[in-house]
Amino acid sequence: MDIDSPAAGTEQLKNGDIDESLYSRQLYVLGHEAMKRMSSSHVLIAGLRGLGVEIAKNIALAGVKSLTLFDPAPANISDLSSQFFLQPGDVGKPRAAVTAPRVAELNAYTPVSVHPSESLTADLSQLHQYQVVVLTGTSLEDQLTISEFCHQNSIFIVIADIFGLFGSIFTDFGKNFTIVDPTGESPLNGIVADIDSDGLVSALDETRHGLEDGDFVTFSEVQGMDGINNSEPRKITVKGPYTFSIGDVSDLGQYKRGGLYTQIKMPKVVDFQPFSRQLQDPELLMSDFAKFDRPPQLHIGFQALHRFAKAHGGNLPRPHNEGDASEVFQLAQSIANGSKDKVELDEKLLCELSYQARGDLGPMAAFFGGLAAQEVLKAVSGKFHPIVQWLYFDSLESLPTSVKRSEEFCRPLDTRYDGQIAVFGKDFQDKLANINEFLVGAGAIGCEMLKSWAMIGLATGSKGKISVADMDQIEKSNLNRQFLFRPKDVGKLKSDCAAEAVQAMNPELKGKIVTLRDRVGPDTEHVYDENFWEELDGVTNALDNVDARQYVDRRCVFFRKPLVDSGTLGTKGNTQVVLPFLTESYSSSQDPPEQSFPQCTLRSFPNKIEHTIAWAKEKFHQYFVGPPETVNLYLSQPNYIEKTLKQSGNEIPTLESIRNFLVTEKPLSFDDCIVWARQQFEKEYNNAIQQLLYNFPKDSTTSTGAPFWSGPKRAPDPLKFDGANPTHLGFVIAASHLHAFNYGIRSSSNIPDSHYIKVMGKMIIPEFSPNPTIKIQADDNEPDPNAQALKSNFNDDSELEQIVAALPSPKSLPGFKLEPVEFEKDDDSNHHIDFITAASNLRAENYAIAEADRHKTKFIAGKIIPAIATTTALVTGLVVLELYKIIDGKRDIEQYKNGFVNLALPFFGFSEPVASPKGKYVSKQGDVKIDKLWDRFEVEDITLREFLKDFKDKGLDIMMLSSGVSLLYASFYAPNKVKDRMNLKLSQLVETISRKAIPDHQKNVIFEMTVEDQAEDPEERDVEVPDARVLAVARPATTGSSEKITNWADKSGEFKRGQSQFRDRISKQEGAEFPAERDRYHLYVSYACPWAHRTLIVRKLKGLEDIIPYTSVHWEMLDKGWRFAKPDEKIVGDNVTPDPVHEGFTHLRDIYFKVDPEYKGRFTVPTLYDVKQGRIVNNESSEIIRMFYTEFDDLLPDEFKKIELFPAKLQKSIEETNEWTYNNINNGVYKSGFATTQEAYQNAVHPLFGSLDRAEAHLSEHASPFYFGEHITEADIRLYTTIVRFDPVYVQHFKCNIRDIRSGYPKLHKWLRNLYWSVPAFGETTQFEHIKKHYTKSHKQINPYSITPVGPLPDILPKDGEVHAAL
């Protein structure tokens, strides 16, 4: 159900519906009942600075019946420190009025309005319309007045305040407040093994029951003690991890066997005291047990701030003002002296509170905003245990020590960051602004993180940069907690939408966020390469995938970058700080493995719904995924049966599946799919169960005489299909649609149930007869009797040949393929969850297991992670508080906090991070201490002999050396095996042994070692030492760094062309970033370069000479790349001049560095430059020429507009031609010429001439002047620029001398001369002097003496001239 408008959302709420597609993740946290109670509640939030808007955002996302905002005060510029829904233009306007419509956008089901009053206390009766009132930024007098009224009138109240790095929350939910579910944990259950006469219950097979004293349980299916079944819940006392007592059972009979116990959640009633009483005698919940003495002091300190404000016209103490701080401390002493419990005050603490009183920090607002919103939801739903009744929290460890803090440095500057400057000072604000941070993930935590970073001004400075990586698209279910997204964004990329949203929140971030669409993982290390990682200041994980988090963690350890990781699971959240040389890493500790079930249990003996759901998901794969994939392999892979299937050892079942799907059970219509589905029902829920009961009758016993069907084994009953049963029919409907999807058979969701009944009514279902030869595994500890039968039986000709003979030949089904189903849990129309729910519940019906509704089935089968916005906001706040410390550069591990919170309990646990493991080895000079995680030996790319010697000099004898899976050296290797390796450089050694080239993007290689040190005891010499990192592995020049730009080949000897870096487009579309305009763009080319030559040809063909001016660089290209001609140089060719756009620029690289001072790519031609914006648009010739084809047509006369160089009818042929001509001809000459080994050269030159032969043959078959007929196309342009250079340069310079063009390829030669002499765009843009001098005088590694050959003469023959025979 799609709801985008408030009116529609309100209407749905009136009907009592919950939009599961929107709230799905939250429903798994709160449940339907709690959500329904929330949807009938009205909430008021007073105070709409950062804290208030955080609470409002979280409550709106969660969904209540109405949300009302109150704050008539005008917004000021400092509010923008944390109020993300305010913009600079809102300053001076009432906060509530400008905030309400933006909060309303978050959830169409939650109407948002403004409380119609200038004062809450003027008419307290107005509060009767609300179930909960939330106060933020409110005076103590108003807090007392409003809270007293609310307490007397059974209105729940939450009061929250933040002052810099300090914050508090208070709750009062009245008398006799009922907590329906204090923990939110799923009820525990288990199988009973025994109940003795004293009421001691033992769990089966010593399974830990997990219960606690005071829990309540009920029983069912207990035999002997019939009176205990389904009786009132019984309170338990834990006796051990596997036993618990239920008290007196003397009147219940003698336990025989069987039984299930289930925990029952009992309501808890709490009496809350009014605010006035709690102010005097507070009940404090501890937020950090390391600060046990702090909450009582802060309770007094906060009151002192309120008194100070009252005495100073509502103004809080000024930042870092000593006089104000002294007054606050005196007020605190006065309050403490009058309190019931004498509290010892820390003057330094309370002065710090005064210093920060005007501070307004986004992360503190996020922390308390999540906390307060969760308390509101507890109040209206009764779900989870509330805070009773005060909680204070501070993060003073986040205060910077690297900068000065004083009244001068912390004074307001009339900027959006004044709330943060008040706490940290201006210098630290500048530090935040110039950070380069990497955010991995733009989901729920990622959205919150970006919002917090926008508020604190992270990366807004000249050196600041935020990279955001997320490949996922936005789904509707994301909107409930990923608050940067709106319904209009569904289907778009998360990273793009999130970046756009936070740039609107803080315009200073514009141009500072780079969005990346590639997954961060081993397969994208060429994208997130070493340069990328080395430039980062830090990394923040916002991922819900453990494998991805571990990968990012490993990269951070490798590059020694600080990492902050966080995660949420419903109301639970955690944060972890990973700091180089200080802490362990995220991967240092492992989560317990995911629960799995024994196959024997799933196949034959399920005893709980989780088993049947896992079985149903396997059936989903066996029906709709595996067989279609296998069929497609059979149809597409040559000799599939002989080559592939024979190796799997599972031939007969696989061949039978192929036969069934292609022959015996292949449907021709949707009705056939219905028949198939009905047959599967019979097979799984009747026949299989009858077979099981045939093998193990209900009265069978084990070898010990015990009943076989006891304990975890539940005796099943076969099912008889009943079309009136919605689960039975639902299975057939879902299976029919999915089977039809496999075959591309059209189906409709509008088919009436009666049609399915009608089709099935015509079927004849044969009676089942058990097969006495079938064996069934009775226990997972026993061998599977069917395992041997599944092994390879390929030589058992009879049965196999019969099946193979029945299969159609792949050639008889050209183009036919099946469509495997790709499981998607969140599409309610695709029948995936419908099938699994029905299949699971039918299985549960077989075994008399309590069934699960669709919602629960989706949760388990889809492995959905429950989530709620409140936890996400709070955890993000904690992360940013740690980020402050990292940016400050703190090196004291005790200043950092790893956190674990559970908002349901509520529980807060903070601890200092675990230190990284340390060790030592004994060198020749004595003990050497090492950090086992972060240390490593850094070594140049030296030979193996030198490497072994260096470590021996350190006192370490290398026993084995490896890199990845390749063992490179071992001390036990025979001398002749090591001999050839000793003089190889380490990089060469890796490539030689692994037979794989080191990727171009990789500058470092890690070597693992086992060593012996110099310990006196030989038994203790085997020590663990860090890895060795080999630096500066030789690479082809792909950067603008110190590598030589003329180094072209990699270590395999093969030429590798670098990728172009700038790939934007000029467009004639309205509003384009680079619009098509006259004289706006300047084209930089080289007459020598074949790629740049393409653009000159097209520019002339399309009549763009008066629209796009150009400059050609000098033909000489040395270590600094292409240079411009000097003013006094007279070089042949038009426009070979100094740079006319940038006075004083001597090289093309100067333009690249002007555009990007940190540029690391090549300085290539062509370069298309936007003079107006001072930006490079594109430096990829194939893309530039295609822009020239059409994007300037509106500026051209008809004669040029109608020229089509890439006509629609030829596009496929042109693209196919481009593919092989580029790889083998355009680039093939370079691969031949720049090869540095004989093998690499021959691997390039032969395909080159093979492709020239192919082009010759094409021209021979088509008697036309151009490659594709009577008109010039892109194919002519791209091929010409190589062929025209072939004889003058490539034959001799690049050793492409098997044949030349003029004597070896008559058709190519004729085609070439026609273009050169007949079409000015080709001939007039060809400058042979540039071509010959550039190659021969710039490539000194090929031609060290820079001698330019005179021939061939002439450079190109006349149009009608041919090569004369030698005399």
Side-chain angles (χ1 to χ4, degrees):
M1 188 176 297
D2 290 324
I3 299 290
D4 291 344
S5 70
T10 305
E11 187 61 34
Q12 182 171 336
L13 287 178
K14 286 179 182 177
N15 298 329
D17 297 332
I18 295 175
D19 186 347
E20 293 192 4
S21 64
L22 175 67
Y23 290 118
S24 64
R25 304 310 189 259
Q26 181 175 292
L27 276 166
Y28 294 119
V29 181
L30 299 174
H32 284 79
E33 289 305 314
M35 284 284 294
K36 287 177 180 176
R37 287 191 288 269
M38 287 161 47
S39 65
S40 63
S41 303
H42 303 275
V43 178
L44 170 68
I45 299 176
L48 288 170
R49 298 183 71 203
L51 176 56
V53 79
E54 278 281 358
I55 300 170
K57 176 257 293 179
N58 293 328
I59 292 174
L61 290 171
V64 293
K65 188 165 187 179
S66 75
L67 178 62
T68 306
L69 308 180
F70 172 80
D71 194 338
N76 58 60
I77 190 66
S78 65
D79 292 341
L80 274 63
S81 287
S82 60
Q83 220 284 28
F84 45 84
F85 280 150
L86 288 181
Q87 297 167 358
D90 298 325
V91 172
K93 300 175 184 177
R95 290 194 191 108
V98 295
T99 302
R102 293 161 192 167
V103 175
E105 292 178 359
L106 295 172
N107 190 346
Y109 296 116
T110 302
V112 180
S113 60
V114 176
H115 185 77
S117 174
E118 291 297 313
S119 169
L120 288 181
T121 56
D123 182 5
L124 292 171
S125 65
Q126 292 184 352
L127 301 181
H128 280 298
Q129 61 187 302
Y130 307 113
Q131 277 73 50
V132 187
V133 173
V134 182
L135 302 180
T136 71
T138 311
S139 69
L140 184 58
E141 287 71 23
D142 284 356
Q143 291 176 4
L144 285 162
T145 301
I146 295 169
S147 63
E148 190 64 29
F149 177 84
C150 290
H151 187 82
Q152 292 173 2
N153 291 278
S154 300
I155 301 169
F156 307 140
I157 189 162
V158 176
I159 302 173
D161 279 311
I162 55 173
F163 301 105
L165 290 166
F166 300 89
S168 72
I169 186 170
F170 168 83
T171 64
D172 175 8
F173 297 166
K175 295 180 180 179
N176 301 319
F177 178 76
T178 301
I179 307 168
V180 178
D181 180 0
T183 67
E185 300 294 335
S186 298
L188 300 167
N189 58 72
I191 300 174
V192 176
D194 182 52
I195 305 177
D196 69 12
S197 58
D198 295 326
L200 184 69
V201 181
S202 299
L204 183 72
D205 291 339
E206 294 195 346
T207 303
R208 289 177 178 268
H209 53 68
L211 297 167
E212 297 179 0
D213 284 345
D215 284 346
F216 287 78
V217 298
T218 59
F219 293 86
S220 61
E221 301 183 19
V222 176
Q223 297 182 33
M225 289 184 169
D226 295 339
I228 202 173
N229 290 327
N230 303 314
S231 62
E232 290 295 312
R234 302 177 73 95
K235 192 174 184 179
I236 67 110
T237 303
V238 173
K239 296 299 183 181
Y242 314 105
T243 57
F244 58 89
S245 173
I246 56 174
D248 182 18
V249 294
S250 58
D251 59 340
L252 298 177
Q254 182 71 33
Y255 175 81
K256 290 183 179 178
R257 65 177 183 178
L260 305 172
Y261 67 84
T262 303
Q263 180 189 20
I264 300 298
K265 295 293 187 75
M266 302 297 285
K268 179 180 179 180
V269 178
V270 176
D271 278 334
F272 284 81
Q273 295 179 350
F275 180 73
S276 56
R277 184 171 173 184
Q278 278 285 307
L279 201 61
Q280 302 303 317
D281 188 12
E283 186 171 355
L284 299 165
L285 175 68
M286 192 60 57
S287 65
D288 188 343
F289 290 94
K291 302 174 180 180
F292 202 82
D293 61 336
R294 202 162 285 180
Q297 296 187 71
L298 295 180
H299 186 70
I300 289 170
F302 275 45
Q303 293 178 64
L305 288 182
H306 281 291
R307 288 194 184 182
F308 180 97
K310 183 179 179 182
H312 293 81
N315 293 316
L316 290 164
R318 290 162 291 182
H320 257 273
N321 184 278
E322 298 295 343
D324 290 354
S326 177
E327 185 177 341
V328 168
F329 183 64
Q330 291 173 10
L331 289 168
Q333 286 179 314
S334 174
I335 296 168
N337 292 335
S339 64
K340 178 181 175 182
D341 296 320
K342 299 302 179 186
V343 178
E344 185 176 341
L345 300 180
D346 180 346
E347 183 175 1
K348 185 177 179 182
L349 173 69
L350 293 178
C351 285
E352 192 60 62
L353 174 62
S354 175
Y355 295 158
Q356 299 183 31
R358 295 192 187 185
D360 187 11
L361 299 177
M364 289 296 290
F367 178 89
F368 277 96
L371 187 57
Q374 190 67 59
E375 294 305 301
V376 171
L377 301 182
K378 292 176 185 178
V380 298
S381 69
K383 181 90 172 184
F384 309 137
H385 201 293
I387 292 171
V388 182
Q389 285 187 255
W390 290 93
L391 179 137
Y392 287 89
F393 171 81
D394 73 81
S395 183
L396 288 183
E397 300 84 0
S398 298
L399 285 174
T401 56
S402 63
V403 297
K404 282 187 176 182
R405 294 167 59 240
S406 65
E407 187 169 7
E408 171 62 24
F409 286 103
C410 297
R411 63 183 177 84
L413 301 173
D414 199 29
T415 72
R416 64 178 299 133
Y417 307 116
D418 280 358
Q420 186 163 255
I421 291 171
V423 179
F424 297 139
K426 178 64 170 64
D427 287 352
F428 191 69
Q429 185 63 50
D430 294 340
K431 209 168 188 178
L432 289 170
N434 288 293
I435 291 297
N436 184 348
E437 190 76 9
F438 184 24
L439 177 64
V440 191
I445 291 178
C447 284
E448 290 285 345
M449 202 69 65
L450 283 171
K451 175 261 295 176
S452 289
W453 291 357
M455 293 301 97
I456 70 174
L458 190 80
T460 54
S462 60
K463 297 180 181 178
K465 180 181 177 183
I466 294 172
S467 301
V468 185
D470 198 313
M471 63 177 291
D472 288 341
Q473 294 178 321
I474 298 164
E475 300 172 358
K476 185 178 179 183
S477 62
N478 301 148
L479 304 180
N480 173 238
R481 63 205 183 282
Q482 299 176 19
F483 87 106
L484 295 180
F485 308 140
R486 301 291 180 268
K488 65 179 175 61
D489 298 324
V490 171
K492 298 178 182 177
L493 283 168
K494 288 183 177 181
S495 56
D496 289 348
C497 291
E500 184 180 345
V502 296
Q503 287 174 92
M505 289 179 175
N506 185 352
E508 293 180 19
L509 275 175
K510 287 186 177 176
K512 300 296 181 180
I513 302 180
V514 177
T515 58
L516 302 158
R517 304 176 182 186
D518 294 285
R519 184 194 307 275
V520 182
D523 56 336
T524 56
E525 288 183 2
H526 63 290
V527 177
Y528 307 98
D529 60 15
E530 300 186 15
N531 290 330
F532 174 86
W533 285 96
E534 286 166 356
E535 290 172 357
L536 297 174
D537 293 313
V539 181
T540 301
N541 262 351
L543 297 162
D544 59 7
N545 179 291
V546 172
D547 290 340
R549 291 162 80 172
Q550 289 178 336
Y551 173 78
V552 173
D553 173 70
R554 291 195 299 271
R555 298 303 275 172
C556 286
V557 170
F558 182 86
F559 292 104
R560 294 170 172 169
K561 299 297 179 182
L563 167 70
V564 190
D565 186 275
S566 60
T568 67
L569 183 67
T571 59
K572 301 169 186 173
N574 68 280
T575 63
Q576 181 179 353
V577 188
V578 177
L579 302 163
F581 300 102
L582 282 184
T583 73
E584 67 175 13
S585 73
Y586 174 83
S587 305
S588 297
S589 58
Q590 299 291 326
D591 292 332
E594 187 176 322
Q595 182 185 19
S596 61
F597 303 118
Q599 281 300 309
C600 182
T601 299
L602 294 184
R603 282 197 294 258
S604 306
F605 308 112
N607 57 63
K608 55 185 179 179
I609 197 65
E610 288 80 3
H611 295 157
T612 67
I613 291 173
W615 176 89
K617 195 168 181 187
E618 279 193 5
K619 287 298 169 187
F620 181 94
H621 188 275
Q622 289 172 14
Y623 286 158
F624 312 117
V625 184
E629 289 176 344
T630 303
V631 168
N632 290 344
L633 288 174
Y634 168 73
L635 294 175
S636 62
Q637 285 191 2
N639 302 319
Y640 170 76
I641 295 175
E642 293 79 5
K643 289 185 177 179
T644 306
L645 189 54
K646 186 175 181 179
Q647 298 173 6
S648 71
N650 197 24
E651 299 91 359
I652 291 179
T654 304
L655 288 173
E656 286 177 337
S657 175
I658 296 172
R659 179 194 62 195
N660 293 344
F661 269 70
L662 286 180
V663 184
T664 58
E665 297 177 3
K666 181 181 178 183
L668 300 177
S669 66
F670 186 71
D671 286 358
D672 291 344
C673 296
I674 297 174
V675 171
W676 176 86
R678 174 66 181 85
Q679 290 169 342
Q680 305 316 306
F681 179 99
E682 198 68 19
K683 174 184 171 185
E684 300 295 354
Y685 304 109
N686 181 28
N687 301 354
I689 299 301
Q690 287 196 54
Q691 182 69 50
L692 179 64
L693 291 173
Y694 173 82
N695 286 55
F696 305 109
K698 287 192 176 182
D699 59 356
S700 58
T701 59
T702 66
S703 58
T704 62
F708 179 84
W709 294 105
S710 62
K713 288 188 172 72
R714 303 173 65 84
D717 291 299
L719 300 183
K720 181 177 176 61
F721 184 81
D722 179 4
N725 185 315
T727 306
H728 292 212
L729 185 58
F731 173 88
V732 172
I733 292 173
S736 301
H737 281 278
L738 292 170
H739 197 55
F741 177 87
N742 285 151
Y743 287 90
I745 295 173
R746 294 187 63 181
S747 61
S748 170
S749 59
N750 297 322
I751 298 173
D753 293 353
S754 59
H755 181 76
Y756 294 91
I757 301 295
K758 180 181 177 182
V759 172
M760 290 186 289
K762 297 177 182 178
M763 295 174 62
I764 298 175
I765 305 297
E767 289 293 324
F768 175 74
S769 297
N771 185 343
T773 66
I774 290 179
K775 297 178 181 180
I776 297 175
Q777 187 180 11
D779 191 283
D780 268 296
N781 295 323
E782 298 177 2
D784 184 353
N786 298 303
Q788 193 66 32
L790 292 176
K791 288 186 178 178
S792 179
N793 196 22
F794 208 80
N795 296 318
D796 199 0
D797 293 339
S798 57
E799 186 176 1
L800 280 169
E801 286 183 358
Q802 287 180 10
I803 301 174
V804 172
L807 297 179
S809 165
K811 293 181 179 179
S812 68
L813 297 169
F816 178 81
K817 72 171 186 176
L818 297 181
E819 188 68 39
V821 176
E822 186 175 342
F823 178 65
E824 171 49 59
K825 59 186 178 292
D826 286 320
D827 181 353
D828 290 338
S829 66
N830 64 12
H831 302 285
H832 298 187
I833 295 299
D834 294 333
F835 173 82
I836 293 173
T837 302
S840 167
N841 284 338
L842 290 171
R843 182 85 163 165
E845 189 180 345
N846 280 137
Y847 287 86
I849 296 169
E851 297 177 13
D853 62 14
R854 189 181 190 281
H855 183 67
K856 181 176 180 180
T857 304
K858 177 179 175 179
F859 175 64
I860 297 171
K863 298 182 179 179
I864 290 175
I865 298 174
I868 191 168
T870 52
T871 315
T872 306
L874 183 146
V875 163
T876 304
L878 291 176
V879 167
V880 179
L881 291 172
E882 296 305 305
L883 186 61
Y884 283 144
K885 304 172 188 177
I886 293 171
I887 292 171
D888 184 44
K890 297 183 188 299
R891 298 302 298 164
D892 180 359
I893 196 172
E894 295 181 0
Q895 298 299 304
Y896 291 92
K897 300 278 187 181
N898 286 346
F900 175 79
V901 299
N902 187 342
L903 297 184
L905 300 178
F907 170 81
F908 301 85
F910 296 98
S911 62
E912 71 179 52
V914 177
S916 55
K918 304 299 191 290
K920 69 173 183 178
Y921 68 86
V922 181
S923 73
K924 292 180 178 179
Q925 289 75 37
D927 289 353
V928 177
K929 294 181 179 179
I930 53 173
D931 187 307
K932 293 183 178 180
L933 179 64
W934 298 98
D935 272 334
R936 58 176 167 254
F937 297 102
E938 299 203 339
V939 184
E940 296 297 319
D941 192 13
I942 56 179
T943 65
L944 175 60
R945 186 186 308 279
E946 293 167 328
F947 183 83
L948 297 174
K949 181 180 182 301
D950 282 356
F951 277 83
K952 192 169 189 65
D953 293 344
K954 291 180 172 70
L956 296 172
D957 293 313
I958 295 178
M959 299 293 104
M960 287 192 291
L961 180 69
S962 61
S963 181
V965 297
S966 300
L967 182 60
L968 309 175
Y969 167 82
S971 58
F972 53 79
Y973 276 175
N976 61 346
K977 185 171 184 177
V978 177
K979 177 184 174 184
D980 292 338
R981 303 183 183 188
M982 295 299 282
N983 292 324
L984 290 177
K985 286 194 171 184
L986 294 171
S987 58
Q988 295 172 316
L989 179 63
V990 170
E991 293 184 325
T992 301
I993 304 303
S994 69
R995 298 183 181 179
K996 293 180 182 177
I998 298 169
D1000 289 346
H1001 60 79
Q1002 186 176 333
K1003 294 190 296 184
N1004 304 282
V1005 180
I1006 292 296
F1007 290 74
E1008 299 86 21
M1009 303 173 288
T1010 59
V1011 303
E1012 290 184 356
D1013 67 359
Q1014 303 298 306
E1016 292 183 8
D1017 185 350
E1019 297 295 322
E1020 296 180 358
R1021 289 179 183 171
D1022 187 5
V1023 293
E1024 182 182 349
V1025 296
D1027 297 334
R1029 177 189 185 194
V1030 175
L1031 304 169
V1033 174
R1035 300 253 67 82
T1038 57
T1039 73
S1041 63
S1042 59
E1043 294 179 83
K1044 282 195 172 185
I1045 201 163
T1046 49
N1047 292 342
W1048 303 98
D1050 66 11
K1051 290 193 296 298
S1052 69
E1054 296 181 350
F1055 170 73
K1056 305 290 185 184
R1057 182 169 298 282
Q1059 295 295 310
S1060 300
Q1061 304 288 308
F1062 294 91
R1063 309 296 285 268
D1064 287 313
R1065 287 188 57 81
I1066 294 170
S1067 173
K1068 59 185 175 184
Q1069 296 296 321
E1070 185 175 346
E1073 184 179 11
F1074 296 97
E1077 295 175 4
R1078 185 183 299 273
D1079 292 329
R1080 173 166 179 163
Y1081 302 99
H1082 197 85
L1083 180 64
Y1084 292 92
V1085 300
S1086 164
Y1087 283 121
C1089 173
W1091 321 101
H1093 193 176
R1094 298 174 177 180
T1095 63
L1096 287 177
I1097 293 170
V1098 176
R1099 174 180 173 274
K1100 195 170 185 68
L1101 285 172
K1102 285 292 293 184
L1104 296 172
E1105 291 103 313
D1106 295 333
I1107 295 173
I1108 302 174
Y1110 78 96
T1111 297
S1112 174
V1113 294
H1114 195 283
W1115 49 257
E1116 185 180 54
M1117 183 186 75
L1118 299 178
D1119 284 352
K1120 288 187 178 181
W1122 296 107
R1123 72 173 178 88
F1124 293 110
K1126 298 173 184 177
D1128 57 348
E1129 288 183 303
K1130 303 300 179 186
I1131 308 297
V1132 67
D1134 294 338
N1135 299 330
V1136 186
T1137 65
D1139 183 1
V1141 179
H1142 308 93
E1143 186 176 349
F1145 279 17
T1146 59
H1147 287 76
L1148 186 67
R1149 64 187 283 152
D1150 298 336
I1151 300 172
Y1152 280 73
F1153 286 138
K1154 175 183 182 294
V1155 171
D1156 180 5
E1158 303 297 321
Y1159 181 70
K1160 295 289 192 301
R1162 282 196 178 280
F1163 318 111
T1164 61
V1165 287
T1167 297
L1168 187 58
Y1169 181 80
D1170 182 350
V1171 178
K1172 189 172 183 179
Q1173 293 191 64
R1175 293 170 61 185
I1176 294 174
V1177 180
N1178 200 296
N1179 64 345
E1180 169 54 51
S1181 65
S1182 62
E1183 293 175 1
I1184 293 173
I1185 62 176
R1186 289 195 177 174
M1187 293 180 222
F1188 286 2
Y1189 293 171
T1190 57
E1191 299 307 316
F1192 292 86
D1193 279 358
D1194 293 345
L1195 306 178
L1196 295 174
D1198 288 341
E1199 63 177 298
F1200 293 112
K1201 189 183 299 186
K1202 67 183 181 182
I1203 292 175
E1204 284 188 86
L1205 299 172
F1206 193 52
K1209 65 181 180 180
L1210 289 174
Q1211 284 180 6
K1212 183 179 179 182
S1213 298
I1214 292 171
E1215 292 285 21
E1216 290 173 353
T1217 301
N1218 288 347
E1219 178 73 15
W1220 59 267
T1221 55
Y1222 169 80
N1223 287 324
N1224 296 338
I1225 299 178
N1226 301 138
N1227 206 35
V1229 293
Y1230 282 83
K1231 288 191 284 187
S1232 301
F1234 287 130
T1236 57
T1237 66
Q1238 185 69 30
E1239 182 183 11
Y1241 165 71
Q1242 292 185 188
N1243 287 342
V1245 78
H1246 290 299
L1248 163 63
F1249 279 89
S1251 294
L1252 289 172
D1253 293 343
R1254 182 175 176 181
E1256 177 76 7
H1258 171 88
L1259 291 171
S1260 299
E1261 294 168 5
H1262 302 85
S1264 53
F1266 306 113
Y1267 199 88
F1268 281 115
E1270 300 299 319
H1271 300 283
I1272 295 170
T1273 66
E1274 184 181 274
D1276 298 284
I1277 297 162
R1278 289 173 59 121
L1279 187 58
Y1280 171 86
T1281 58
T1282 298
I1283 301 302
V1284 78
R1285 288 164 172 75
F1286 201 92
D1287 288 3
V1289 173
Y1290 299 150
V1291 169
Q1292 50 81 21
H1293 186 69
F1294 278 169
K1295 297 175 282 294
C1296 301
N1297 57 359
I1298 294 177
R1299 289 186 294 281
D1300 61 11
I1301 298 298
R1302 59 188 67 193
S1303 64
Y1305 294 95
K1307 298 299 183 183
L1308 268 174
H1309 189 216
K1310 181 179 179 181
W1311 165 86
L1312 169 68
R1313 285 173 291 145
N1314 179 54
L1315 288 173
Y1316 181 88
W1317 294 110
S1318 302
V1319 186
F1322 289 82
E1324 293 176 10
T1325 58
T1326 304
Q1327 292 289 346
F1328 286 105
E1329 182 174 326
H1330 283 257
I1331 292 169
K1332 295 174 76 169
K1333 286 188 174 179
H1334 162 70
Y1335 285 88
T1336 57
K1337 298 186 183 299
S1338 297
H1339 300 161
K1340 295 187 183 296
Q1341 76 275 38
I1342 293 176
N1343 188 22
Y1345 295 103
S1346 302
I1347 297 171
T1348 303
V1350 174
L1353 293 175
D1355 295 317
I1356 187 167
L1357 292 174
K1359 184 175 181 180
D1360 298 318
E1362 294 293 348
V1363 178
H1364 297 292
L1367 297 177

